[in-house]
Amino acid sequence: MQDLARGASLAYDASVVLRIGSAVFVACPDERLQSLYYRVDGGVRSVWRHLRGSEIHPRLLQEAEEANGKLWEQASALPLPVEFLIGYRDLAAATLAHLDRDEAMSRDEISARAIETVGFLEAGLDTAAGAVVFERSCQAATESLLEVWAEEDPLSTMRRLRRETDVWALAYQRFVRPELGRCHG
Protein backbone atom coordinates (compact mmCIF):
# COMPACT_ATOMS: atom_id res chain seq x y z
CA MET A 1 0.00 0.00 0.00
CA GLN A 2 2.85 2.38 0.79
CA ASP A 3 4.35 1.79 -2.68
CA LEU A 4 1.02 2.76 -4.27
CA ALA A 5 0.89 5.94 -2.18
CA ARG A 6 4.48 6.81 -3.09
CA GLY A 7 3.77 6.10 -6.75
CA ALA A 8 0.72 8.36 -6.75
CA SER A 9 2.71 11.07 -5.02
CA LEU A 10 5.57 10.81 -7.53
CA ALA A 11 3.12 10.91 -10.43
CA TYR A 12 1.46 14.02 -9.00
CA ASP A 13 4.82 15.77 -8.55
CA ALA A 14 6.00 14.86 -12.05
CA SER A 15 2.77 16.06 -13.62
CA VAL A 16 3.10 19.46 -11.94
CA VAL A 17 6.73 19.95 -12.97
CA LEU A 18 6.31 18.70 -16.53
CA ARG A 19 3.33 20.89 -17.37
CA ILE A 20 4.72 24.05 -15.75
CA GLY A 21 8.21 23.36 -17.09
CA SER A 22 6.84 23.37 -20.59
CA ALA A 23 6.54 27.16 -20.29
CA VAL A 24 10.24 27.30 -19.41
CA PHE A 25 11.16 25.18 -22.42
CA VAL A 26 9.30 27.30 -24.94
CA ALA A 27 11.02 30.42 -23.57
CA CYS A 28 14.54 29.00 -24.00
CA PRO A 29 16.15 31.24 -26.63
CA ASP A 30 18.86 28.83 -27.78
CA GLU A 31 19.88 25.19 -28.01
CA ARG A 32 22.24 25.44 -25.04
CA LEU A 33 19.41 26.38 -22.67
CA GLN A 34 17.05 23.90 -24.32
CA SER A 35 19.65 21.20 -23.67
CA LEU A 36 19.72 22.09 -19.97
CA TYR A 37 15.93 22.03 -19.88
CA TYR A 38 15.88 18.60 -21.58
CA ARG A 39 18.18 17.15 -18.91
CA VAL A 40 15.89 18.41 -16.13
CA ASP A 41 12.88 17.17 -18.06
CA GLY A 42 14.53 13.78 -18.60
CA GLY A 43 15.10 13.36 -14.89
CA VAL A 44 11.52 14.25 -14.06
CA ARG A 45 10.17 12.05 -16.87
CA SER A 46 12.08 9.13 -15.39
CA VAL A 47 9.23 9.06 -12.86
CA TRP A 48 7.00 7.52 -15.56
CA ARG A 49 9.59 4.81 -16.33
CA HIS A 50 10.09 4.15 -12.62
CA LEU A 51 6.35 3.72 -12.13
CA ARG A 52 6.38 1.13 -14.92
CA GLY A 53 9.01 -0.82 -12.98
CA SER A 54 12.34 0.54 -14.25
CA GLU A 55 15.14 1.18 -11.84
CA ILE A 56 16.07 4.72 -10.89
CA HIS A 57 19.33 5.71 -12.58
CA PRO A 58 21.32 7.84 -10.12
CA ARG A 59 23.46 9.36 -12.88
CA LEU A 60 20.39 10.59 -14.80
CA LEU A 61 19.02 12.17 -11.64
CA GLN A 62 22.36 13.75 -10.78
CA GLU A 63 22.61 15.22 -14.29
CA ALA A 64 19.04 16.51 -14.01
CA GLU A 65 19.76 18.15 -10.65
CA GLU A 66 22.94 19.75 -12.02
CA ALA A 67 21.11 20.96 -15.12
CA ASN A 68 18.36 22.44 -12.92
CA GLY A 69 21.02 24.50 -11.13
CA LYS A 70 22.70 25.56 -14.37
CA LEU A 71 19.38 26.49 -15.95
CA TRP A 72 18.69 28.66 -12.91
CA GLU A 73 22.10 30.33 -13.32
CA GLN A 74 21.00 31.31 -16.84
CA ALA A 75 17.59 32.58 -15.73
CA SER A 76 18.31 36.13 -16.87
CA ALA A 77 18.38 34.84 -20.48
CA LEU A 78 14.78 33.65 -20.21
CA PRO A 79 11.98 36.15 -20.84
CA LEU A 80 9.95 34.94 -17.86
CA PRO A 81 9.36 36.42 -14.42
CA VAL A 82 12.22 35.47 -12.11
CA GLU A 83 9.78 34.39 -9.39
CA PHE A 84 8.22 31.93 -11.84
CA LEU A 85 11.66 30.52 -12.64
CA ILE A 86 12.48 30.19 -8.93
CA GLY A 87 9.23 28.30 -8.42
CA TYR A 88 9.93 25.97 -11.33
CA ARG A 89 13.49 25.34 -10.10
CA ASP A 90 12.22 24.52 -6.61
CA LEU A 91 9.42 22.25 -7.84
CA ALA A 92 11.82 20.36 -10.13
CA ALA A 93 14.35 20.02 -7.30
CA ALA A 94 11.65 18.69 -4.95
CA THR A 95 10.47 16.14 -7.51
CA LEU A 96 14.00 14.95 -8.27
CA ALA A 97 14.75 14.66 -4.53
CA HIS A 98 11.53 12.71 -4.01
CA LEU A 99 12.50 10.26 -6.74
CA ASP A 100 16.17 9.97 -5.80
CA ARG A 101 16.18 10.20 -2.03
CA ASP A 102 12.49 9.94 -1.19
CA GLU A 103 12.57 13.44 0.30
CA ALA A 104 8.97 14.38 -0.38
CA MET A 105 7.09 17.60 0.01
CA SER A 106 3.45 17.02 0.84
CA ARG A 107 0.96 17.15 -2.00
CA ASP A 108 -0.57 20.25 -0.41
CA GLU A 109 2.85 21.95 -0.40
CA ILE A 110 3.52 21.01 -4.03
CA SER A 111 0.05 22.22 -5.03
CA ALA A 112 0.36 25.52 -3.19
CA ARG A 113 3.85 26.13 -4.58
CA ALA A 114 2.62 25.38 -8.11
CA ILE A 115 -0.30 27.83 -7.76
CA GLU A 116 2.05 30.49 -6.40
CA THR A 117 4.53 29.86 -9.22
CA VAL A 118 1.89 30.04 -11.92
CA GLY A 119 0.56 33.21 -10.31
CA PHE A 120 3.93 34.85 -11.02
CA LEU A 121 3.67 33.75 -14.65
CA GLU A 122 0.15 35.14 -14.92
CA ALA A 123 1.12 38.43 -13.27
CA GLY A 124 4.22 38.84 -15.42
CA LEU A 125 2.84 37.98 -18.86
CA ASP A 126 -0.35 39.28 -20.44
CA THR A 127 -0.55 36.10 -22.52
CA ALA A 128 -0.74 33.99 -19.36
CA ALA A 129 -4.11 35.33 -18.22
CA GLY A 130 -6.07 32.44 -16.73
CA ALA A 131 -2.99 30.35 -15.93
CA VAL A 132 -3.85 30.05 -12.23
CA VAL A 133 -7.38 28.85 -12.97
CA PHE A 134 -5.93 26.42 -15.49
CA GLU A 135 -3.40 25.09 -12.98
CA ARG A 136 -6.13 24.57 -10.41
CA SER A 137 -8.14 22.59 -12.97
CA CYS A 138 -5.07 20.47 -13.82
CA GLN A 139 -4.55 19.76 -10.13
CA ALA A 140 -8.20 18.77 -9.69
CA ALA A 141 -8.07 16.46 -12.71
CA THR A 142 -4.84 14.92 -11.45
CA GLU A 143 -6.40 14.33 -8.03
CA SER A 144 -9.40 12.67 -9.68
CA LEU A 145 -7.19 10.34 -11.67
CA LEU A 146 -5.10 9.45 -8.65
CA GLU A 147 -8.15 8.71 -6.49
CA VAL A 148 -8.60 5.54 -8.51
CA TRP A 149 -4.85 4.78 -8.49
CA ALA A 150 -5.21 1.86 -6.08
CA GLU A 151 -8.70 0.80 -7.16
CA GLU A 152 -7.85 0.34 -10.83
CA ASP A 153 -4.69 -0.73 -12.53
CA PRO A 154 -2.04 1.79 -11.38
CA LEU A 155 -0.17 1.40 -14.68
CA SER A 156 -3.25 2.36 -16.66
CA THR A 157 -3.87 5.35 -14.39
CA MET A 158 -0.26 6.47 -14.76
CA ARG A 159 -0.48 6.26 -18.55
CA ARG A 160 -3.64 8.37 -18.57
CA LEU A 161 -2.01 10.93 -16.30
CA ARG A 162 1.10 11.03 -18.49
CA ARG A 163 -1.02 11.66 -21.61
CA GLU A 164 -3.05 14.37 -19.88
CA THR A 165 0.14 15.99 -18.58
CA ASP A 166 1.49 16.24 -22.13
CA VAL A 167 -1.71 17.97 -23.25
CA TRP A 168 -1.60 20.38 -20.30
CA ALA A 169 2.05 21.14 -21.07
CA LEU A 170 1.05 22.39 -24.52
CA ALA A 171 -1.36 24.84 -22.89
CA TYR A 172 1.49 26.19 -20.77
CA GLN A 173 3.55 26.69 -23.91
CA ARG A 174 0.70 28.74 -25.38
CA PHE A 175 0.60 30.90 -22.26
CA VAL A 176 4.20 31.90 -22.97
CA ARG A 177 4.25 31.96 -26.75
CA PRO A 178 0.72 31.88 -28.10
CA GLU A 179 1.96 32.60 -31.61
CA LEU A 180 3.85 29.30 -31.61
CA GLY A 181 1.15 27.07 -30.19
CA ARG A 182 3.67 24.24 -30.38
CA CYS A 183 7.05 23.34 -28.98
CA HIS A 184 10.39 24.01 -30.64
CA GLY A 185 11.12 21.76 -33.53
Side-chain angles (χ1 to χ4, degrees), residues 19-171:
R19 64 179 175 257
I20 292 174
S22 187
V24 175
F25 168 72
V26 80
C28 289
D30 58 42
E31 289 181 20
R32 182 180 54 82
L33 291 176
Q34 289 172 14
S35 176
L36 289 173
Y37 172 80
Y38 279 134
R39 289 196 314 230
V40 176
D41 185 72
V44 174
R45 284 186 185 278
S46 69
V47 166
W48 304 133
R49 291 185 300 278
H50 175 64
L51 294 175
R52 288 192 313 260
S54 294
E55 288 187 37
I56 298 169
H57 297 285
R59 184 173 173 205
L60 174 70
L61 294 177
Q62 180 183 3
E63 288 175 2
E65 289 173 333
E66 289 170 4
N68 193 34
K70 288 178 183 176
L71 187 59
W72 167 246
E73 291 169 6
Q74 302 297 315
S76 63
L78 300 171
L80 296 172
V82 69
E83 298 88 352
F84 173 77
L85 294 168
I86 291 169
Y88 169 74
R89 177 201 63 197
D90 293 350
L91 287 165
T95 298
L96 293 167
H98 188 185
L99 184 59
D100 186 30
R101 297 175 296 281
D102 205 21
E103 297 171 8
M105 288 175 67
S106 75
R107 192 174 295 179
D108 288 342
E109 290 171 311
I110 290 284
S111 296
R113 184 68 171 145
I115 295 295
E116 177 185 42
T117 298
V118 172
F120 292 126
L121 181 68
E122 185 175 83
L125 297 175
D126 291 340
T127 58
V132 169
V133 170
F134 180 70
E135 176 57 26
R136 288 181 201 276
S137 71
C138 292
Q139 289 182 12
T142 301
E143 289 284 348
S144 292
L145 278 171
L146 293 176
E147 282 178 11
V148 297
W149 181 267
E151 296 170 16
E152 291 184 11
D153 175 22
L155 187 59
S156 173
T157 302
M158 183 272 304
R159 286 181 180 142
R160 283 186 295 185
L161 179 57
R162 188 188 71 226
R163 282 191 303 270
E164 288 298 318
T165 297
D166 289 343
V167 171
W168 297 327
L170 293 175

